[in-house]
Amino acid sequence: MSKVASPDGSLEVINARRTESIDAPHIVALATKSTEALFGRVNIVNIIEKAILAVTLSNAADEILGHAAFFDFPNLPDVDEAAWEAWMSKFYDTSKCNALNTLFMHYFVSKSEYAHGCAEEIIRTAFNAVPDLHFLFLVVPHGVYPDAAVADVFKPLDKKEGVTSGPNNCVMFVCHRHNHVPVLHIRHARVEDHDDLTPIFNRHSDMLKMTYGDYFLAELIEAQNDNMQCLVAEVEGTAQGFMSISDDVNYDLLNNCFELGPFHGLRHPHPEDEEEAPKIPTPTPPPQRDEAGGSGRSSRISVSPTFSHESDGEVGQYYGELKDEDGMEDEGTVEKSGTAKTETEPKTVGSRQSSAKSSKAGSTSGEVKVRPRLSDAQMNGSCSSLLSENSQGSVAPEVLDQQQSAPPTQGSQRNVGSRDSVRVTPQAQLNVPPKYFIPTYKGSPNAFSVQLFCIDERFEMRSFDFLGKAFSLFPTMDFCIITVPHLVPEFPLLQGFVRVTPRSSSTLPQELYVFHRSGLLKDFRVRAACTSDVSGVESLVKTVDLHDNLLKDLKQFNMARRDESGTEIQAFVAESQDQIVGVAIVRREEDIEYIRSHYNIEDFIYYNHHRREDHAHLHHFALNPIFNHLSKHFLKEILRLGHKTCLYYPLYPPYTKKEIVEKHSLVGCLNNLVPVHARRQISYPLAELGDNAPSQRVLKHQEPYALNHINRKLTLEPKVTINARIVVVGASDVGISFLETLAYCPHLRFNNLTLISPHGIPGEMAPDTLRDSLLSTSHCYCQEEYSKSALRTWVNVVYGKMSAIDRKKKHVVVNGSVVVPFDHLVISTGQQYQVPCPSDADIEAGETNADLENSPDRRHTGSVPKNLFLTNDAYDSAVALYRVENGLLKTEKKVVVYGNSLDALCCVQTLTAVGVEPSQIILVQPPLAYEVTCVNNPTVEKTIADNLAAAGVTVHTNCILARFNTTDDSSEITSLDFTTNSRPLNVQCDALFPFYKKSVDYDSFKAINDACLVYDGKLVIDASFHTNDVAIRGAGTLTKFQRRYHADQWTHSNFNSKEVGISLAGEMLRLFDPTVEPQSTPGEEPLNLIPIYRSPKIQGGILPGGLHYLHVAKPSLPVPLDVHMAQSDYGRELITGEAGPDANYFRLHLNQYNTIETITCVSKQPVPASNLICLFGIHERYLNNMLSRYEEGLIKDFYNYFQQPWSMAIYHDRFPDFRDEIRELLITSPEEALEALEEKVRMVVDDEISMSKTQRRELLEAYAGTGAKRAVETRLLSFISYNYYHLPMYAKPGMV
């Protein structure tokens, strides 16, 4: 907060912030004739959209007092934005000006009475926001004189010596940093500085004072020597900042805990350095082992920061140590990188085969694999150095020469991105190296550390000024390092440092930041590449994966400036000290219409203000890590020199074809890009639409990818870095939506998001329709949504199961061996199907269900038979189908499906679809736990039963498992015994698919219970997701609310899991997001009420008979349908079609307000589920007066009705926003003196009297008379027009 004064002396408290597009009308209102004379007639929205820095000043009432927009080129139409430096140097001495330290003011307005103060404050804000900025220029046309406020800040720029006349049409004015926010004076600390510095320290924390006494600072300053120095920043004779530096560094600890390969272990090069892992010996054939024997071995660890290429370039392998407790080596593990299949190998079989081969360990193995996030790829696994063997000194040019042997260590998307592919049990015993290789460096120390740092917040943006003096005190050291606790917010000093990626095995509770002395150089220059740069680029990228493709693109650029298809290609290099330190290659974005229609890029840009040629596609980006803090400047220069405004970069899923992925290398600037949400697409009836369908640019099929983006506005907008370790246990829909919400916050960067899951992030296997249909779906996510998700970029994945929680030490133990530390833990494991436990009933005595002594819900503690297929996710489904395809087809073997859930029915259908004869399938259904069936619709239930009978599937009901009958070695089930309500049942069983009941996994329960977290049948949480430990939260079907809410029947299982995860993320963001109201501790709840969730609960699947099933319903408690319909306020149901063998059954439930509350579809044809789900919560009047049409007999088939062209807008992903806009119009009063339309409606409704014709007519007249009707129509036309690329089937005004 600052204050500005008006001429009459009154002070106004102001706030400086980034300009938003909604400020445009207020900014235009501040413009005067002199503004237009100085800056010309401009489109202010376009200025805001393309300015790299736009600042707005507002007062406490949020009234805008001033605004300025800054660009990185002059606002002269005849000066090329890419060549302004050469143009200015003709007339002015600009030897000290460059693209890194210079901006141009393109627009300035302010309230006249605060003009001087606003100008000063905006200039000060600009210099503070951009620490490297030293010059602000203003172009003044001839004959125009700047206003006094501007003239006080900007002064005419002196012409170059010998130049008599300046540019023909303008005069350049300049504003220097030293007149507003000068560089700090840094000197050695003196004891007398103690009194100035102590208040600054105490404002931040009194811990040092309490620990070391009142005079700790004076004692520290007195203790200075050659190894420890103290510096202060002096402003006007007063010490305003302090830094203590020392060469006492624990190099071995840091090297063991962090990926220091790119920094040569913070040591000088030495001939005996061990930088590469030892070669892996050729494997020898192992002795044959029983397949079931491997699952009982102790913990395995496979942590692999490095990977190598096979000769064919298609698949990389990496190995990890697998040892028994007694030290003997167990079976090795080869983890295949990449699941892309060749043309002759079907993807579906491949994904099942790879899953099945690893099923021996499955989720019960102690093996743990760690996959780091892609955004850290440039720091992971590098044993290469930034230092050449000849570079012993610390002089910057020599240090830069190291780059010839030290790459930025990026990888190809395919090889890094596919490291999470399913594990494959090898057919060879490997002499494996240690579990992970850590380079050893034996050179002399090359780093000093910042031990203590503090600065007055008024000058914190100049913290960087300390480093020049610090390096001068340690002339032989090239690196400055600083470690900070995870929960300490990133302060401005660290913005110039490079965060070093922790090793996957590290539990050190600190983050390490490194700065190289070459970062002090300010000659970092970006230019277009030329032929002479090839050798420098080759040295830079020689260890970057797919560097051949990068060099090929560079050659193509130098040769033709276009590729073979005619697409424009541009290549740029970054130089420092006349050496190549970075390279980037972009192409013109030819698929911008597809990107706009499939991704929410309009969350970041106003599309209509960018020409088609302004969009570019990033293919390669490599930058020396010591200049990593300048990567955003590199991107900004790419946009300026390439005459672009937007950059896009795709990340493909692991199973994508090689020829598609290899066009891109994994860029090192992912941290600077923002992930873009994919958009839900409309399922179009193309045959009916004909020529009115969207264009092929929108409809064409492309391989899905996660999109990353940056534009001019974002290049100088810093992200808030959050180093807190947030660990999520369980890849449930809740856990995934929670992680996705955090990862997609564009202004936040979470560095330590970790997911613990046996099979990693869902959706990483190649698409397989049969595999995905084995289980029902919640429609929270589908395969394509997973493939377009950016979670791989931002989330570290630990493959394993939680086995313990240590609340005191704040870590989770995975598979009994691997420790994962946390600051915040989210438990979202959900519930899974468990191995059913036989009741041990005496079958021979003829016991029935009523005679059982043991509960069938007990936990199974014995060994698991090999032919029992526990199926809880896509990975398990792939394993099961592989075994079925290779062991049960074309045989007489019997398959038993045990359960009465929707998953059991889907499993029966999938088994028949994969080729199992229906007569071989036995569906055994246990008694219902409640009165409600899985579909809760008698018509649908009868159809399912009829289809099962017609197909020949044997069905037994009300059966409880009594006994497994197994082979002599108990390894396989041969038959099953069940008790029923009458006599016992015995069935032959060669494969068992249990879907008895979902419950909390025993390992999760034991970890929760042993950690003394309150467990009452489920993990107990409050309305804010907190357990009894403030650092541990729970969400999903694993949890229940505390009893004080008196809502024991309501749990998260009654609600939409995706919405629950988003709500959990909203609670977590209160701790970190500066734009959200903070909450350090759980607040007291005034009312014991559980949260309200409004999204529908959805079920879907393919039922026996090949019937596609969809059920969308309001969150509610399970109540039989006939009981629900008997309620007085139920509403009514609308049904079309029949639920027979060729079903086209469609049922709608309208509540008492004629809003759709339930949708049930059963159809022989595929159901456009994504469309129909959008109908939930929609009033029937939105649907073309559906109710009256139905009553008149005009609607014979809802499937056909909802596929008619008029309905397409309802399915648009932005239609809910449009509805919100309409509601906002109706609840807002058009004038202060007039009553809002909503208030008039409420007066009628609150009287609790049915609306009379007179009242209805009065409301309609008010609706038309107040202008609300016209406003609604205008908004509707705007909605259709703006989204016309999706909705061309609608006629616009003037077309008819």
Side-chain angles (χ1 to χ4, degrees):
M1 292 289 185
S2 302
K3 295 182 179 180
V4 295
S6 65
D8 61 5
S10 62
L11 293 176
E12 186 86 33
V13 178
I14 60 169
N15 174 50
R17 59 172 174 81
R18 295 270 177 161
T19 305
E20 301 173 0
S21 297
I22 59 174
D23 298 330
H26 306 285
I27 293 172
V28 171
L30 296 177
T32 62
K33 290 183 178 179
S34 61
T35 304
E36 184 175 333
L38 181 59
F39 299 106
R41 183 174 297 178
V42 299
N43 183 330
I44 190 61
V45 176
N46 193 61
I47 288 285
I48 296 171
E49 179 68 15
K50 296 183 179 177
I52 62 169
L53 178 64
V55 181
T56 290
L57 302 181
S58 58
N59 59 16
D62 208 24
E63 178 189 8
I64 292 179
L65 303 181
H67 160 81
F70 300 93
F71 285 67
D72 50 355
F73 56 87
N75 50 334
L76 290 171
D78 55 345
V79 176
D80 184 356
E81 63 186 72
W84 66 263
E85 293 171 271
W87 174 81
M88 281 190 66
S89 64
K90 294 179 182 178
F91 307 101
Y92 305 101
D93 182 8
T94 56
S95 57
K96 295 182 179 180
C97 301
N98 56 47
L100 180 62
N101 63 18
T102 302
L103 290 180
F104 296 82
M105 189 165 79
H106 279 217
Y107 201 72
F108 172 81
V109 291
S110 67
K111 293 192 77 170
S112 56
E113 57 268 33
Y114 298 107
H116 286 80
C118 286
E120 288 279 352
E121 184 60 27
I122 285 176
I123 295 301
R124 188 159 48 246
T125 300
F127 281 123
N128 275 326
V130 189
D132 288 322
L133 180 63
H134 283 269
F135 303 96
L136 285 175
F137 288 105
L138 173 66
V139 177
V140 179
H142 278 312
V144 176
Y145 298 92
D147 291 339
V150 176
D152 287 346
V153 175
F154 288 87
K155 304 298 180 183
L157 181 63
D158 293 333
K159 296 183 180 65
K160 200 172 184 178
E161 186 176 350
V163 176
T164 57
S165 61
N168 293 331
N169 54 354
C170 66
V171 177
M172 298 297 294
F173 282 59
V174 65
C175 173
H176 296 276
R177 165 181 285 281
H178 58 75
N179 293 327
H180 300 273
V181 187
V183 174
L184 298 180
H185 171 58
I186 309 298
R187 59 169 174 80
H188 272 96
R190 300 189 289 263
V191 175
E192 50 266 32
D193 295 323
H194 174 272
D195 293 342
D196 293 334
L197 295 171
T198 299
I200 301 175
F201 274 92
N202 291 341
R203 281 201 297 272
H204 290 277
S205 173
D206 59 358
M207 184 179 66
L208 290 172
K209 177 181 176 181
M210 294 172 62
T211 306
Y212 299 108
D214 292 337
Y215 300 101
F216 75 91
L217 203 53
E219 295 168 358
L220 182 64
I221 294 173
E222 279 188 321
Q224 292 183 82
N225 54 38
D226 292 342
N227 303 109
M228 192 276 289
Q229 304 277 350
C230 296
L231 303 174
V232 297
E234 183 180 288
V235 179
E236 296 179 355
T238 303
Q240 300 289 358
F242 176 84
M243 178 182 282
S244 171
I245 54 178
S246 170
D247 61 2
D248 182 16
V249 176
N250 190 335
Y251 294 95
D252 292 337
L253 174 65
L254 295 179
N255 189 45
N256 286 331
C257 293
F258 297 95
E259 299 279 2
L260 288 176
F263 309 101
H264 203 85
L266 302 177
R267 291 179 179 271
H268 289 289
H270 190 277
E272 298 181 7
D273 290 339
E274 297 178 9
E275 301 180 53
E276 296 183 359
K279 301 293 184 181
I280 299 173
T282 303
T284 56
Q288 295 296 319
R289 299 183 57 172
D290 180 73
E291 189 173 317
S295 61
R297 308 307 294 264
S298 64
S299 298
R300 301 179 176 185
I301 300 177
S302 175
V303 181
S304 309
T306 59
F307 51 88
S308 59
H309 297 281
E310 292 184 347
S311 57
D312 62 358
E314 172 117 1
V315 180
Q317 294 181 340
Y318 53 103
Y319 308 96
E321 179 185 69
L322 308 173
K323 289 185 179 290
D324 297 331
E325 289 181 350
D326 59 3
M328 298 297 293
E329 290 187 0
D330 196 358
E331 288 186 346
T333 293
V334 179
E335 296 173 354
K336 299 195 75 176
S337 174
T339 56
K341 304 299 169 194
T342 62
E343 297 274 331
T344 59
E345 183 180 5
K347 288 186 178 181
T348 55
V349 175
S351 63
R352 293 180 212 154
Q353 183 177 11
S354 58
S355 300
K357 286 183 179 180
S358 59
S359 66
K360 286 189 286 186
S363 60
T364 61
S365 168
E367 179 181 342
V368 178
K369 185 175 73 170
V370 178
R371 191 201 71 208
R373 61 186 196 151
L374 295 184
S375 56
D376 284 340
Q378 76 272 20
M379 293 296 172
N380 282 345
S382 171
C383 300
S384 302
S385 169
L386 288 176
L387 302 173
S388 68
E389 293 183 359
N390 299 326
S391 177
Q392 302 291 342
S394 58
V395 181
E398 287 80 357
V399 172
L400 288 176
D401 204 26
Q402 27 167 302
Q403 186 62 43
Q404 311 309 323
S405 63
T409 331
Q410 284 118 340
S412 71
Q413 286 185 22
R414 191 171 63 50
N415 285 302
V416 178
S418 56
R419 290 169 59 175
D420 49 8
S421 58
V422 290
R423 299 183 292 279
V424 179
T425 303
Q427 302 302 314
Q429 181 76 22
L430 300 177
N431 296 318
V432 293
K435 43 192 169 184
Y436 48 84
F437 173 73
I438 296 180
T440 302
Y441 304 98
K442 300 181 180 180
S444 57
N446 195 22
F448 63 90
S449 65
V450 176
Q451 294 186 323
L452 190 61
F453 175 77
C454 193
I455 191 170
D456 189 290
E457 60 184 18
R458 294 174 298 167
F459 306 101
E460 64 180 359
M461 296 305 297
R462 298 306 310 167
S463 302
F464 206 68
D465 297 339
F466 276 96
L467 295 181
K469 182 70 172 178
F471 275 103
S472 69
L473 298 177
F474 293 98
T476 62
M477 305 292 189
D478 288 330
F479 295 101
C480 173
I481 67 171
I482 184 170
T483 60
V484 294
H486 289 289
L487 292 179
V488 172
E490 191 175 78
F491 43 93
L493 175 65
L494 296 181
Q495 293 176 5
F497 282 62
V498 177
R499 174 183 174 268
V500 183
T501 304
R503 295 192 188 275
S504 54
S505 58
S506 172
T507 59
L508 192 70
Q510 302 274 328
E511 290 283 346
L512 174 64
Y513 288 82
V514 172
F515 181 84
H516 192 279
R517 70 164 59 242
S518 295
L520 297 172
L521 298 171
K522 300 304 178 185
D523 67 338
F524 185 88
R525 188 169 71 93
V526 181
R527 58 171 175 80
C530 58
T531 307
S532 60
D533 297 325
V534 173
S535 60
V537 172
E538 286 179 345
S539 299
L540 174 71
V541 303
K542 62 183 178 183
T543 59
V544 173
D545 283 322
L546 298 180
H547 64 276
D548 289 338
N549 293 331
L550 188 156
L551 295 174
K552 179 182 176 182
D553 286 345
L554 178 62
K555 179 181 178 182
Q556 185 68 30
F557 167 77
N558 286 325
M559 182 172 62
R561 298 297 195 264
R562 294 182 181 273
D563 59 19
E564 288 92 348
S565 64
T567 303
E568 176 190 23
I569 183 172
Q570 295 174 303
F572 304 94
V573 294
E575 278 187 322
S576 184
Q577 299 290 292
D578 297 324
Q579 295 185 45
I580 304 296
V581 298
V583 62
I585 296 177
V586 302
R587 284 179 169 84
R588 179 169 167 172
E589 182 55 77
E590 297 293 349
D591 290 325
I592 189 59
E593 293 84 4
Y594 177 87
I595 289 176
R596 183 193 185 191
S597 61
H598 285 73
Y599 297 88
N600 267 315
I601 59 170
E602 285 163 302
D603 286 347
F604 304 99
I605 64 172
Y606 273 84
Y607 182 82
N608 291 338
H609 286 271
H610 299 263
R611 300 170 302 171
R612 196 173 190 278
E613 58 268 25
D614 289 342
H615 302 273
H617 187 105
L618 181 63
H619 283 260
H620 308 283
F621 183 101
L623 182 64
N624 188 318
I626 65 177
F627 295 103
N628 192 59
H629 62 291
L630 293 174
S631 56
K632 263 198 173 181
H633 173 71
F634 193 179
L635 291 168
K636 176 170 70 73
E637 283 295 275
I638 291 171
L639 294 174
R640 179 180 70 89
L641 298 174
H643 299 86
K644 307 296 182 185
T645 59
C646 302
L647 272 179
Y648 305 93
Y649 176 73
L651 270 173
Y652 291 90
Y655 50 79
T656 308
K657 295 177 181 178
K658 173 186 174 183
E659 55 268 23
I660 294 176
V661 181
E662 67 181 4
K663 296 176 182 177
H664 305 80
S665 59
L666 187 62
V667 298
C669 59
L670 271 177
N671 275 319
N672 302 120
L673 308 180
V674 294
V676 185
H677 267 295
R679 297 178 62 179
R680 177 176 48 79
Q681 297 298 300
I682 301 171
S683 178
Y684 294 100
L686 298 178
E688 184 171 345
L689 290 175
D691 293 339
N692 290 326
S695 72
Q696 281 304 308
R697 287 182 175 271
V698 173
L699 294 177
K700 69 176 179 180
H701 172 75
Q702 287 196 10
E703 290 289 342
Y705 55 82
L707 184 67
N708 300 273
H709 165 74
I710 194 169
N711 57 59
R712 292 182 58 83
K713 287 186 298 185
L714 298 177
T715 53
L716 288 184
E717 187 170 323
K719 292 184 179 181
V720 177
T721 300
I722 297 160
N723 288 322
R725 296 166 296 184
I726 301 174
V727 176
V728 177
V729 182
S732 61
D733 289 338
V734 172
I736 294 299
S737 66
F738 167 77
L739 288 170
E740 191 177 61
T741 304
L742 297 187
Y744 274 92
C745 288
H747 59 291
L748 304 178
R749 180 192 296 130
F750 288 89
N751 280 331
N752 289 303
L753 294 177
T754 301
L755 173 67
I756 299 174
S757 172
H759 302 141
I761 299 174
E764 304 242 301
M765 291 187 291
D768 184 339
T769 304
L770 281 176
R771 181 197 69 211
D772 295 338
S773 64
L774 184 65
L775 297 173
S776 63
T777 175
S778 65
H779 284 283
C780 289
Y781 293 95
C782 65
Q783 176 73 27
E784 186 168 356
E785 287 175 308
Y786 282 127
S787 63
K788 292 182 177 180
S789 171
L791 288 186
R792 292 184 306 126
T793 308
W794 306 105
V795 178
N796 304 296
V797 180
V798 179
Y799 291 76
K801 292 178 67 175
M802 175 179 70
S803 53
I805 303 172
D806 191 321
R807 290 170 55 189
K808 185 176 181 180
K809 295 181 180 178
K810 300 186 77 169
H811 68 237
V812 173
V813 180
V814 179
N815 287 11
S817 61
V818 175
V819 172
V820 180
F822 67 84
D823 297 306
H824 299 277
L825 177 65
V826 174
I827 304 176
S828 60
T829 56
Q831 293 181 304
Q832 295 82 33
Y833 293 112
Q834 308 297 329
V835 176
C837 182
S839 63
D840 295 330
D842 190 347
I843 297 298
E844 287 73 16
E847 287 191 7
T848 65
N849 292 343
D851 303 325
L852 296 181
E853 295 182 1
N854 298 322
S855 169
D857 298 337
R858 295 179 303 161
R859 185 176 72 88
H860 179 76
T861 56
S863 60
V864 179
K866 289 166 52 178
N867 57 343
L868 185 150
F869 300 111
L870 200 60
T871 310
N872 283 300
D873 59 15
Y875 182 96
D876 295 335
S877 299
V879 171
L881 287 180
Y882 177 79
R883 296 291 180 86
V884 168
E885 290 173 337
N886 291 274
L888 296 177
L889 297 185
K890 300 178 182 178
T891 66
E892 297 295 326
K893 295 181 178 180
K894 297 291 186 181
V895 181
V896 176
V897 179
Y898 179 47
N900 53 24
S901 66
L902 189 62
D903 292 317
L905 297 174
C906 292
C907 179
V908 170
Q909 168 58 26
T910 302
L911 289 175
T912 59
V914 84
V916 178
E917 290 295 329
S919 58
Q920 296 174 231
I921 301 173
I922 304 171
L923 175 61
V924 182
Q925 296 182 323
L928 290 173
Y930 306 98
E931 297 180 18
V932 181
T933 64
C934 60
V935 295
N936 196 17
N937 186 313
T939 304
V940 179
E941 292 164 17
K942 183 178 183 304
T943 301
I944 294 172
D946 292 344
N947 286 350
L948 288 171
V953 176
T954 304
V955 180
H956 301 285
T957 59
N958 295 318
C959 301
I960 296 177
L961 180 65
R963 187 166 59 200
F964 289 138
N965 300 313
T966 61
T967 56
D968 293 339
D969 59 359
S970 300
S971 62
E972 290 192 2
I973 300 170
T974 57
S975 66
L976 300 169
D977 289 323
F978 296 89
T979 58
T980 67
N981 293 334
S982 54
R983 61 178 183 273
L985 171 70
N986 175 270
V987 297
Q988 180 187 344
C989 176
D990 297 294
L992 172 62
F993 287 83
F995 297 99
Y996 173 60
K997 277 185 182 177
K998 284 189 174 183
S999 60
V1000 177
D1001 178 73
Y1002 176 74
D1003 293 332
S1004 300
F1005 159 73
K1006 191 173 186 306
I1008 291 168
N1009 193 60
D1010 291 350
C1012 297
L1013 297 175
V1014 177
Y1015 192 92
D1016 180 14
K1018 292 184 176 182
L1019 178 63
V1020 177
I1021 60 172
D1022 63 13
S1024 300
F1025 304 95
H1026 288 98
T1027 63
N1028 55 304
D1029 189 320
V1030 70
I1032 301 177
R1033 292 169 172 81
T1037 56
L1038 164 81
T1039 64
K1040 63 176 293 187
F1041 291 112
Q1042 296 171 355
R1043 290 185 182 269
R1044 65 189 174 95
Y1045 294 105
H1046 302 287
D1048 290 352
Q1049 291 179 297
W1050 288 94
T1051 68
H1052 286 167
S1053 60
N1054 297 106
F1055 305 115
N1056 183 288
S1057 296
K1058 190 172 185 178
E1059 186 182 14
V1060 172
I1062 294 170
S1063 179
L1064 170 60
E1067 290 292 330
M1068 184 72 77
L1069 287 173
R1070 292 177 182 271
L1071 301 174
F1072 305 112
D1073 193 344
T1075 65
V1076 176
E1077 182 180 351
Q1079 180 181 351
S1080 56
T1081 58
E1084 291 294 327
E1085 298 176 28
L1087 299 172
N1088 291 330
L1089 300 176
I1090 64 173
I1092 297 176
Y1093 300 100
R1094 303 187 183 279
S1095 296
K1097 183 80 175 172
I1098 308 171
Q1099 284 184 304
I1102 304 180
L1103 302 179
L1107 301 182
H1108 297 264
Y1109 173 73
L1110 175 68
H1111 182 71
V1112 184
K1114 171 185 172 183
S1116 62
L1117 297 175
V1119 177
L1121 180 61
D1122 54 349
V1123 175
H1124 193 194
M1125 293 181 66
Q1127 297 174 355
S1128 59
D1129 59 350
Y1130 176 75
R1132 61 180 299 179
E1133 66 174 4
L1134 312 179
I1135 299 176
T1136 65
E1138 300 292 335
D1142 298 321
N1144 63 339
Y1145 177 82
F1146 199 122
R1147 177 182 180 272
L1148 288 177
H1149 163 217
L1150 273 60
N1151 64 15
Q1152 57 186 331
Y1153 305 112
N1154 288 341
T1155 296
I1156 294 179
E1157 202 165 89
T1158 308
I1159 305 167
T1160 304
C1161 300
V1162 180
S1163 173
K1164 193 71 173 176
Q1165 301 301 319
V1167 174
S1170 60
N1171 285 2
L1172 299 180
I1173 291 170
C1174 299
L1175 300 177
F1176 176 82
I1178 298 287
H1179 194 278
E1180 60 90 14
R1181 294 294 294 273
Y1182 272 106
L1183 305 175
N1184 214 2
N1185 292 325
M1186 179 188 69
L1187 187 55
S1188 64
R1189 289 174 181 267
Y1190 181 83
E1191 291 174 340
E1192 293 170 11
L1194 299 178
I1195 301 177
K1196 304 298 184 183
D1197 181 0
F1198 276 134
Y1199 290 105
N1200 179 59
Y1201 183 72
F1202 290 123
Q1203 283 291 84
Q1204 293 175 7
W1206 63 264
S1207 64
M1208 294 299 108
I1210 307 245
Y1211 312 137
H1212 197 273
D1213 62 321
R1214 292 175 181 163
F1215 188 72
D1217 298 331
F1218 167 70
R1219 291 175 62 200
D1220 291 341
E1221 288 182 17
I1222 297 303
R1223 177 169 176 77
E1224 188 67 27
L1225 278 176
L1226 299 181
I1227 66 176
T1228 304
S1229 175
E1231 298 178 18
E1232 291 186 9
L1234 295 178
E1235 197 174 32
L1237 193 63
E1238 184 198 35
E1239 296 174 5
K1240 296 181 180 180
V1241 174
R1242 286 191 181 277
M1243 290 174 60
V1244 176
V1245 174
D1246 292 343
D1247 290 339
E1248 298 185 359
I1249 302 174
S1250 59
M1251 189 182 301
S1252 66
K1253 292 183 178 180
T1254 303
Q1255 290 173 319
R1256 179 182 293 274
R1257 186 176 63 254
E1258 290 175 353
L1259 286 176
L1260 289 173
E1261 290 174 355
Y1263 174 61
T1266 58
K1269 182 175 184 292
R1270 183 176 180 82
V1272 168
E1273 291 172 348
T1274 302
R1275 289 293 178 92
L1276 174 60
L1277 292 174
S1278 297
F1279 169 75
I1280 296 293
S1281 179
Y1282 192 76
N1283 297 289
Y1284 207 66
Y1285 53 92
H1286 271 149
L1287 304 171
M1289 66 288 301
Y1290 292 91
K1292 294 189 294 185
M1295 293 178 62
V1296 180

